[in-house]
Amino acid sequence: MSRISSPADLRALDRESLNELASEIRAFLVQQTSRRGGHLGPNLGVVELTLALHRVFDSPGDPIIFDTGHQSYVHKIVTGRAGDFDRLRTRNGLSGYPSRAESVHDWVENSHATTSLSYADGLAKAFALRGEHNRTVVAVIGDGALTGGMAWEALNNIAAAKDRPLVVVLNDNGRSYAPTTGGMAQRMAALRLKPGYERLLGQVKSRLPMAPVIGRPLYSALHAVKSAVKDWFIPQSLFQDLGLKYLGPIDGHDTAALEEALHSAKGYRGPVLVHCLTRKGEGYSPAENDDAEQMHSPPAFDPDTGLPIAAPTKTWTSVFGRKLATIGAERDDVVAITAAMSGPTGLGPFAEAFPDRMYDVGIAEQHALTSAAGLAMGGMHPVVALYATFLNRAFDQLLMDCALHKLGVTVVLDRAGVTGEDGPSHHGMWDMSLAALVPGLALAAPRDAATLVQELDEAVAVDNAPTVLRYPKGAVPQDIQQLRRVVAHDGRLVPAAGGIGAVDVLAEPGAGHDHDVLLVAVGAFGALSVEAASRLADQGIGVTVVDPRWALPVPAALRLLAIEHKMVVTIEDGGRSGGVGASVADTLADLDVPVTVLALPQEFLEPASRGDLLQDLGLTAKDVARGITERIAERATADARNRSAAAPVDTAPVNRAPLNGTPTKDKRTAGEG
C-alpha cells in the first residue's frame, strides 16, 4: 500500500504484488473501520474489482461512478487518500462516501441508491456532444440497487444508444447467486463484444435469408440455437432483451478475469453490462459469518473478534420494532413494508412473528408508498418503515397516492434530523418540511420511548389519512413525564387522555413568575427544552414547555396556550423553512405574540457527531436559554423605545433666557411638568 498513491501505480504491479496489495487493503479496512465504525462489508467485497477498474480505465478521464458510494473506500485508497483514513467519517475528515471536494476521481457525491446509471447516461451524452469519443463512463451498481425503478429507467435509455461508450459493472454480492460459470458463457460473451463479430452477424442477417430455398429456414434455425445457448449459459438474459451487451458472470475476486472482461467491455465502444459475482465481507471471517448483514455498517468493534466495543443500549429503533410486533399480534390487518431496510428500521421482530405480512420491496421507496396505498384500499393498515432521508424519494406517492385518496398509511421514519457521520445525504432533516405540505397528514415526533409507543398506537388507529412518526438515530433518552395533557375544546383547554390534538405540558413557571415564554419542543428536544426552562427560571423568566406530540397539523391547544404568553419559541430537529415552527408561526400570525423558530438551516450539513452539529447550530439547552434571554431583552428595549416615542409631547413654547440676562425657569426643568 505504501507504493500506491494514484491509479497509475497499480498498472506497474505484477499479479503476485496485486494479490498482496488486496490482502493489505483488507487488513487496513478492518483496522480503520474498527475505530469508529463505517461501511466494512461492502468494501471488503470490492477490493479486487476496484483494483481491476483502476488498472483498465483511466480515472478521472474515464469517470468511475459508485452507486450509493458506501463501497468507495478502496477507490479512495488507490486514489491517494489512504493517509486520511485516521479521520474517516469525522468533521473535516474523510467522507464515508465519494466527495468532489476530496478528489478529482470522485465525480458525484451519491449516497442514495439507484442513481449511478442516470449520472453515467448523462455524462456519456455530454462526452458524445463534445466530441470526446475516447472517454468511457463506468457505473458500478449492486444487484440490490437494481430493485429500484430509477435504475431501469436509466438502463432503458443507456441501451438505446449503441455508440456511446458506457460500461455498467453489476456488482452482484447477493448470497443466493450461483457459482461462477466457466468457459462457455464467458467465451460467447467475449465473442459478442468483438466489433468484427457484430459486422459478421450483420452480414449473415442480411445475406443468409436471401439464399434460395434453405436460406430463411437455416437463418431461423441458427438464430434459435444461438438464443437457446445464450439463455442456458447466461443467467442475465434480461439485459440482452433490453438491448445491452452482456458479459459474465465473472468471478469478482479474480483480478485477471476481471481485467480481461473489463478490457473487452472498454473496447466495444458501446453500452455493455459486466456481471461480477462478489462476496460481501470477503476475507474477514467475522463479516463472512454475520448472517444478517456481513458487517455492512458496524459501529466501533474489536478487530480480532468483530464484536461491538460499546455495550448495547435501548434504541428508538428497537422500541418501535417491539411495539409494532405487539400491534401485529393484536390486529391482523396491520402489515409492514420496507425498502431493503428491514433490519436497520427494526422490522425484524414483526417479520419473524408475521412473515406473511412483511414486505421488503427492495430499494424502491416510491413503489413502497403506492403499494401501501393499494394495501390500504384493500382493507389493510400498512406501516412503511424508512430512513427519514429516503422519504424525499417518495414525496409524490405520499401526496398523490396516499393523501389524495385519504388512505390510512402509517410511515415511520428512522434516523430523523441530524444523524451524524454519514453526512449531508443522510441527515434526515427534510421530512417535516415535506410533510407540512401534505393535506390531511398528521405527523408525530415522540420525545421518548413511552410517547413513541403511545403515538404508534394512535397512528395505526387513523384509517382516513396518512400518518408519520419520526425519531432520531441512537439511544432513547429517559422518559419525561408530562405535568398534564390538554386538548382544545370549545375554545378552552381541557384534560385529555391522548390522541391527535392533545398537547403535553412538560414544565410551567413557578409561583410568582409570569408566563413569559411558551417553548414548543418538537420530538427529542423535550429534555433539552425542560433544561433550558430551568436555566431561564433562575433568571426570573417564566417558561412553559410543551410537547405538541402530533406536531402537524398544529394543535389548536397551542393557540390557546400562546395567548397566555408574551412570546413563543419553537425548537425542532428539521429544516427551518416550511417545518413545524413555520406552521406554528403561520397559525399564530393573527395574534400579537411573536414567534421565534429554532431549527436547522436549509443547508447541506457536514459529517460530524450529532452533539457537535447541534452545538454549532445553537441547539443546546445553554444556547436556547441564552437566545431567549437576549430576545426578551431586545423586546423590552423595543417596547420601551416604542412607549417613549408614543408619549405625549408638550408643544408649548419654552421661555429662553435673553442672551445677556438670567434665564427664566423652564417648568419642566423645575420639576413642575
Side-chain angles (χ1 to χ4, degrees):
M1 279 184 58
S2 62
R3 295 163 50 191
I4 305 300
S5 60
S6 73
D9 296 328
L10 292 175
R11 300 179 192 118
L13 299 180
D14 58 28
R15 194 63 57 193
E16 182 179 351
S17 298
L18 202 61
N19 292 336
E20 182 181 348
L21 175 62
S23 296
E24 289 184 17
I25 288 175
R26 283 196 167 89
F28 179 82
L29 289 171
V30 171
Q31 287 295 326
Q32 292 295 333
T33 56
S34 70
R35 297 177 179 181
R36 60 178 63 88
H39 287 99
L40 177 60
N43 286 285
L44 292 173
V46 297
V47 176
E48 290 85 2
L49 175 57
T50 306
L51 297 179
L53 285 167
H54 278 291
R55 280 165 62 89
V56 172
F57 297 97
D58 186 18
S59 175
D62 294 334
I64 301 176
I65 302 169
F66 291 88
D67 202 275
T68 307
H70 60 235
Q71 76 277 45
S72 64
Y73 291 8
V74 186
H75 163 79
K76 289 173 183 274
I77 291 170
V78 300
T79 53
R81 286 170 275 178
D84 297 327
F85 267 77
D86 285 342
R87 297 180 296 116
L88 176 66
R89 301 172 74 240
T90 63
R91 166 168 290 171
N92 300 320
L94 195 68
S95 170
Y97 296 95
S99 170
R100 290 165 65 92
E102 287 179 8
S103 173
V104 295
H105 296 279
D106 292 3
W107 279 79
V108 297
E109 301 182 19
N110 57 318
S111 44
H112 282 189
T114 75
T115 59
S116 64
L117 300 183
S118 296
Y119 283 124
D121 178 59
L123 278 168
K125 289 172 179 173
F127 293 160
L129 290 171
R130 293 167 59 90
E132 299 173 359
H133 302 296
N134 62 328
R135 305 178 73 175
T136 302
V137 184
V138 183
V140 183
I141 185 168
D143 54 304
L146 285 184
T147 58
M150 185 174 175
W152 292 97
E153 293 172 21
L155 283 173
N156 183 54
N157 281 265
I158 289 169
K162 304 301 183 184
D163 58 348
R164 283 201 289 266
L166 195 161
V167 176
V168 177
V169 176
L170 173 56
N171 174 29
D172 185 349
N173 61 14
R175 284 172 292 159
S176 60
Y177 61 73
T180 302
T181 305
M184 189 63 178
Q186 295 182 14
R187 287 176 181 272
M188 287 185 63
L191 177 63
R192 290 197 308 276
L193 290 172
K194 291 181 179 178
Y197 170 79
E198 291 299 318
R199 289 194 297 271
L200 176 62
L201 184 61
Q203 293 174 358
V204 171
K205 285 181 178 179
S206 61
R207 297 179 183 178
L208 186 59
M210 294 185 294
V213 184
I214 66 169
R216 189 164 295 280
L218 180 58
Y219 173 79
S220 298
L222 289 173
H223 181 73
V225 170
K226 170 178 172 288
S227 298
V229 171
K230 280 199 311 180
D231 291 344
W232 177 263
F233 283 104
I234 299 174
Q236 300 291 344
S237 60
L238 173 61
F239 297 112
Q240 290 179 285
D241 292 340
L242 283 173
L244 281 170
K245 291 299 179 183
Y246 173 88
L247 178 59
I250 311 297
D251 182 348
H253 302 294
D254 182 338
T255 53
L258 285 166
E259 288 179 34
E260 181 181 358
L262 293 172
H263 273 299
S264 296
K266 183 178 181 179
Y268 179 63
R269 312 312 294 159
V272 182
L273 185 139
V274 181
H275 184 186
C276 303
L277 304 178
T278 64
R279 293 176 292 276
K280 198 171 178 179
E282 171 73 9
Y284 182 52
S285 57
E288 293 175 339
N289 296 328
D290 175 14
D291 291 334
E293 297 182 5
Q294 277 71 59
M295 295 185 72
H296 177 86
S297 182
F301 61 92
D302 181 340
D304 293 329
T305 64
L307 298 176
I309 293 174
T313 58
K314 182 170 74 171
T315 64
W316 293 94
T317 306
S318 62
V319 172
F320 159 70
R322 288 193 297 269
K323 177 58 180 176
L324 185 63
T326 300
I327 292 173
E330 298 168 349
R331 290 181 48 176
D332 59 10
D333 65 323
V334 171
V335 298
I337 303 175
T338 190
M341 289 284 186
S342 59
T345 58
L347 292 180
F350 187 94
E352 184 177 353
F354 314 106
D356 58 332
R357 288 152 56 190
M358 167 70 195
Y359 304 100
D360 186 341
V361 300
I363 303 176
E365 291 83 4
Q366 293 173 301
H367 168 63
L369 265 294
T370 303
S371 178
L375 280 160
M377 289 176 179
M380 308 302 287
H381 189 104
V383 176
V384 184
L386 308 170
Y387 281 7
T389 182
F390 299 131
L391 179 66
N392 311 348
R393 315 188 79 177
F395 172 72
D396 182 66
Q397 288 69 31
L398 179 64
L399 178 69
M400 293 298 179
D401 301 335
C402 298
L404 177 64
H405 294 92
K406 297 182 173 61
L407 296 171
V409 174
T410 295
V411 181
V412 177
L413 302 179
D414 204 318
R415 274 77 161 174
V418 173
T419 56
E421 294 81 0
D422 279 336
S425 65
H426 276 56
H427 292 307
M429 57 178 286
W430 317 101
D431 57 304
M432 290 194 288
S433 297
L434 294 174
L437 298 172
V438 179
L441 180 145
L443 179 143
R447 65 179 181 269
D448 53 29
T451 50
L452 191 162
V453 168
Q454 295 168 6
E455 289 161 12
L456 184 57
D457 272 330
E458 294 165 3
V460 297
V462 177
D463 60 6
N464 61 351
T467 53
V468 173
L469 266 73
R470 55 105 67 183
Y471 45 78
K473 178 181 180 180
V476 184
Q478 291 185 337
D479 288 352
I480 305 171
Q481 186 62 40
Q482 71 269 15
L483 301 179
R484 54 196 175 99
R485 180 172 290 171
V486 296
V487 68
H489 180 71
D490 290 339
R492 60 191 182 91
L493 296 173
V494 299
I500 296 175
V503 171
D504 284 349
V505 178
L506 306 183
E508 292 185 293
H513 286 81
D514 291 336
H515 286 67
D516 296 306
V517 181
L518 177 66
L519 181 54
V520 182
V522 178
F525 281 142
L528 179 154
S529 300
V530 171
E531 181 184 343
S534 177
R535 289 173 176 267
L536 291 166
D538 293 340
Q539 303 176 52
I541 299 172
V543 179
T544 301
V545 179
V546 296
D547 171 10
R549 300 183 76 252
W550 288 88
L552 295 173
V554 177
L558 278 187
R559 181 178 178 88
L560 299 179
L561 287 162
I563 294 171
E564 301 173 357
H565 294 78
K566 302 172 185 177
M567 176 187 300
V568 175
V569 177
T570 67
I571 179 168
E572 63 195 286
D573 194 3
R576 185 188 311 277
S577 299
V580 174
S583 298
V584 170
D586 186 55
T587 300
L588 305 182
D590 61 329
L591 301 181
D592 187 23
V593 181
V595 178
T596 297
V597 176
L598 303 180
L600 305 179
Q602 302 299 141
E603 300 171 2
F604 294 113
L605 302 179
E606 63 180 325
S609 71
R610 176 178 169 87
D612 286 346
L613 286 174
L614 293 181
Q615 184 171 349
D616 289 349
L617 298 170
L619 296 177
T620 67
K622 181 179 179 180
D623 292 326
V624 170
R626 181 172 61 243
I628 290 175
T629 302
E630 292 171 354
R631 284 170 175 78
I632 289 175
E634 291 169 0
R635 183 171 173 81
T637 300
D639 288 346
R641 189 181 300 115
N642 292 337
R643 286 194 298 271
S644 176
V649 179
D650 186 352
T651 58
V654 177
N655 293 325
R656 299 193 180 277
L659 293 177
N660 59 351
T662 302
T664 303
K665 282 187 177 181
D666 185 338
K667 288 184 178 181
R668 285 171 292 184
T669 61
E672 297 175 8

